Amino acid sequence: MRRWLRDTTGGLPRQFWYLWTGTLINRVGGFVVIFLTIYLTTVRHFTPSQAGLIMGVWAAGGALGNMLGGVAADRIGRKVTLLTGQVAGAATLLAMAFTSAYWGIAGLAFLFGVFADGARPAFGAMLIDIVPEKDRLRAFTLNYWVINLGFAFAATLAGLAAAADYHLVFLVDAATTLVTATFLFFTLRESKSARPASSSSATSSSSASSSAASAVASAAKGGLRVVFTDRIFLIFAGLNILSAFVFLQHLTTLPIAMAADGISGQTYGYVIALNGVLIVIGQLFIPRLTRGMTRTRMLAVASIVTGLGFGLTALANTPLFYAATVFVWTLGEMVNAPANSTTMAALSPADLRGRYQGVFSLSWSIAGFVAPTVGGFLQEHVGNTFLWLLCAGIGLAVAAAQVASGPARERRAAILAPPPPAVSRQPTPVS
């Protein structure tokens, strides 16, 4: 166990652990994202389509926030962008707690999306800045592990808070976000270099590879245009939209489907908490279990398993059966998360990490808009069975596309990878 713990957590920078601790504090109180759909439909008595539209507006704000946050992270720094988003997001949650009008909630949801998602590119870019490439799979795995540790606590505690008073769902979330911002303000250092990083591959032994890397990495002056003309990266982000559409149903249409089967919101909280518990138990073993698998293979396997899990939801009608489907798609999620993050990091030129993180986070925001709006529409007008079988079909299609597009991604990652450290050779002594 000591060796496993050392292999899993040893040697990571102290600044990474500050980010890790801030994530834990924030996620333990992350109540709103879990219970907002239930709050909108049971407390405010909005229809599933109206609730889906608010969730979609939230995601639209996140799309704008990702763009602004990515540019800000590169131009003015990671730390100030991260903290600004957190403080402003907490203020928006406080306002949302005491707003009852439909369009008032929708407007605040949009603003919260801007601020909360505006902090994400800075966080991702800072993690890549801080952690050497050889340790990033472990770092992303540990970060995802703590996200779900917090989620497991939040899903259970949010159910208790909602049973007592739904205002607590918003107030506790805002308070933990402010505590996180305060902690990171006093512990984190700015990780962005004051001068632009030069192309790390300029000294590559292959002249073709070095020139390609230089062309990508020296394009910082082009801003977001460079990212939106990177075909290899955009295909990867587009596949993530489809995968995220399936995955995000657990926060939007799944609680509504469970409510239609007579399952209470508190029971939904316990069932969905299984997702976090499973990841807390199993995620730290993923690097060992997937050792020897390529990132492309991991992404394809994850897509198949996730689609299968959501497809099985078409048959579920009891809490135990729903819990079984959560178990299946959580396995896919555990394989997908580190492979997705490390692939994203490998495709990001050093000078443009904030922008690339912003555009990749945009793929989540797009899925966050499409998942509740399209998912809610299909659920209301076509039925749950069609929705869950569609999720299974999307999972299989994405797996095939990951396999087809994988070789081009790995060639690009090899071009952008930093060269191995030079080995100094001592002169052979003359006898």
Side-chain angles (χ1 to χ4, degrees):
M1 287 298 295
R2 283 197 301 269
R3 179 179 178 183
W4 167 81
L5 186 64
R6 183 176 63 251
D7 291 344
T8 304
T9 65
L12 293 170
R14 179 179 297 180
Q15 290 287 298
F16 165 77
W17 291 111
Y18 290 149
L19 279 174
W20 187 92
T21 303
T23 299
L24 176 61
I25 297 170
N26 195 23
R27 293 292 177 162
V28 166
F31 293 178
V32 172
V33 69
I34 299 171
F35 267 79
L36 185 58
T37 301
I38 296 176
Y39 169 77
L40 294 172
T41 54
T42 61
V43 177
R44 296 302 175 193
H45 304 294
F46 300 145
T47 67
S49 294
Q50 287 177 316
L53 181 59
I54 288 179
M55 298 295 287
V57 167
W58 182 343
L64 177 61
N66 282 316
M67 296 296 94
L68 297 176
V71 174
D74 283 338
R75 288 187 177 177
I76 65 176
R78 324 299 199 202
K79 182 175 178 179
V80 66
T81 304
L82 175 63
L83 298 183
T84 300
Q86 289 178 332
V87 173
T92 307
L93 287 175
L94 289 174
M96 196 182 298
F98 301 101
T99 302
S100 58
Y102 180 81
W103 291 112
I105 294 175
L108 289 170
F110 177 83
L111 290 177
F112 182 71
V114 171
F115 297 134
D117 282 14
R120 295 183 191 278
F123 182 95
M126 181 173 278
L127 194 151
I128 298 172
D129 292 342
I130 290 170
V131 180
E133 184 182 14
K134 65 183 178 63
D135 294 324
R136 283 178 191 157
L137 179 60
R138 290 192 298 132
F140 279 116
T141 299
L142 286 167
N143 188 65
Y144 198 69
W145 180 83
V146 79
I147 286 173
N148 285 276
L149 177 64
F151 181 83
F153 281 106
T156 303
L157 296 175
L160 299 176
D165 185 345
Y166 262 101
H167 289 92
L168 290 175
V169 171
F170 295 91
L171 298 179
V172 173
D173 201 332
T176 53
T177 301
L178 287 175
V179 170
T180 301
T182 303
F183 171 77
L184 296 179
F185 176 80
F186 287 106
T187 56
L188 277 184
R189 297 191 304 268
E190 175 55 57
S191 65
K192 182 179 182 294
S193 174
R195 62 182 179 81
S198 60
S199 171
S200 59
S201 301
T203 59
S204 171
S205 59
S206 168
S207 60
S209 294
S210 64
S211 61
S214 179
V216 174
S218 66
K221 294 181 181 179
L224 287 170
R225 179 183 61 80
V226 176
V227 188
F228 282 113
T229 55
D230 187 339
R231 183 178 59 85
I232 292 174
F233 173 77
L234 290 179
I235 291 173
F236 177 62
L239 293 177
N240 188 64
I241 293 174
L242 295 174
S243 296
F245 170 85
V246 175
F247 174 70
L248 291 175
Q249 299 304 322
H250 80 283
L251 294 174
T252 54
T253 55
L254 180 60
I256 296 174
M258 292 179 67
D261 284 329
I263 299 171
S264 69
Q266 189 168 354
T267 302
Y268 162 74
Y270 294 144
V271 170
I272 206 64
L274 176 64
N275 169 256
V277 171
L278 288 171
I279 291 176
V280 168
I281 294 173
Q283 186 70 39
L284 293 179
F285 297 95
I286 290 297
R288 263 183 197 279
L289 296 176
T290 58
R291 185 174 295 169
M293 290 179 65
T294 64
R295 289 181 292 224
T296 296
R297 186 180 177 188
M298 290 174 66
L299 290 168
V301 169
S303 184
I304 292 171
V305 176
T306 303
L308 175 63
F310 280 97
L312 288 172
T313 309
L315 305 175
N317 55 10
T318 65
L320 185 60
F321 203 148
Y322 278 110
T325 66
V326 170
F327 177 83
V328 175
W329 57 255
T330 297
L331 295 178
E333 180 189 356
M334 285 194 290
V335 176
N336 179 77
N340 218 23
S341 298
T342 53
T343 302
M344 167 63 224
L347 295 176
S348 304
D351 294 339
L352 297 173
R353 279 175 184 159
R355 292 171 173 86
Y356 269 74
Q357 286 287 329
V359 174
F360 190 70
S361 295
L362 174 63
S363 71
W364 281 98
S365 296
I366 293 172
F369 178 81
V370 175
T373 52
V374 174
F377 178 85
L378 293 175
Q379 186 176 52
E380 186 173 349
H381 298 284
V382 184
N384 284 312
T385 300
F386 179 86
L387 174 63
W388 302 129
L389 293 180
L390 175 65
C391 289
I394 291 174
L396 293 174
V398 170
Q402 293 285 13
V403 172
S405 59
R409 285 197 303 267
E410 293 306 318
R411 288 193 295 270
R412 169 66 61 79
I415 290 172
L416 292 176
V423 178
S424 59
R425 297 183 178 179
Q426 298 296 329
T428 305
V430 179
S431 57

